[in-house]
Amino acid sequence: MKYAWTWNIKPEYLDEYVKMHAQPWPEIMKAHHDAGFYNYSIFQNGCQFIYVFESDDAQASFDYVNNNEDCKRWNAITTKMIDTDFDGAIDSGIHYLHEAFYLE
């Protein structure tokens, strides 16, 4: 299935957030692949970022990265940059978007 959501990044962290995602740690890339994420893209619109990915089981994918030590280190840095409240796991701040159109 395909999923999407948006987050707003705090303006004071925008440059750092963009830089981190332009040069992601190899272990983060491997962890997301191993978690079952694929066709994953992030689009930027100012301070708003649109995340689009596919997963056969999104909850299992997020459970994997939430328990991965490398992802925990990454998220400890990036969650302070995101303008939302988290209730523990990184996916607690996600509200999926409704797909209004798709051209195959």
Side-chain angles (χ1 to χ4, degrees), residues 50-102:
I50 302 143
Y51 305 77
V52 180
F53 71 90
E54 293 182 59
S55 173
D56 295 331
D57 184 341
Q59 190 57 58
S61 294
F62 275 111
D63 288 347
Y64 183 95
V65 296
N66 282 330
N67 290 302
N68 177 279
E69 290 304 316
D70 295 316
C71 292
K72 287 180 183 180
R73 288 187 307 115
W74 176 275
N75 293 340
I77 297 167
T78 59
T79 54
K80 70 179 181 195
M81 302 175 186
I82 301 167
D83 193 9
T84 193
D85 293 324
F86 294 101
D87 185 19
I90 189 73
D91 58 320
S92 69
I94 293 174
H95 303 285
Y96 292 115
L97 301 173
H98 167 75
E99 184 176 59
F101 175 79
Y102 175 69

Side-chain angles (χ1 to χ4, degrees), residues 9-19 44 46-47 49:
I9 302 305
K10 297 173 186 173
E12 64 269 25
Y13 291 111
L14 183 60
D15 290 342
E16 184 180 358
Y17 193 82
V18 169
K19 183 177 178 183
Q44 181 183 1
C47 287
F49 288 75

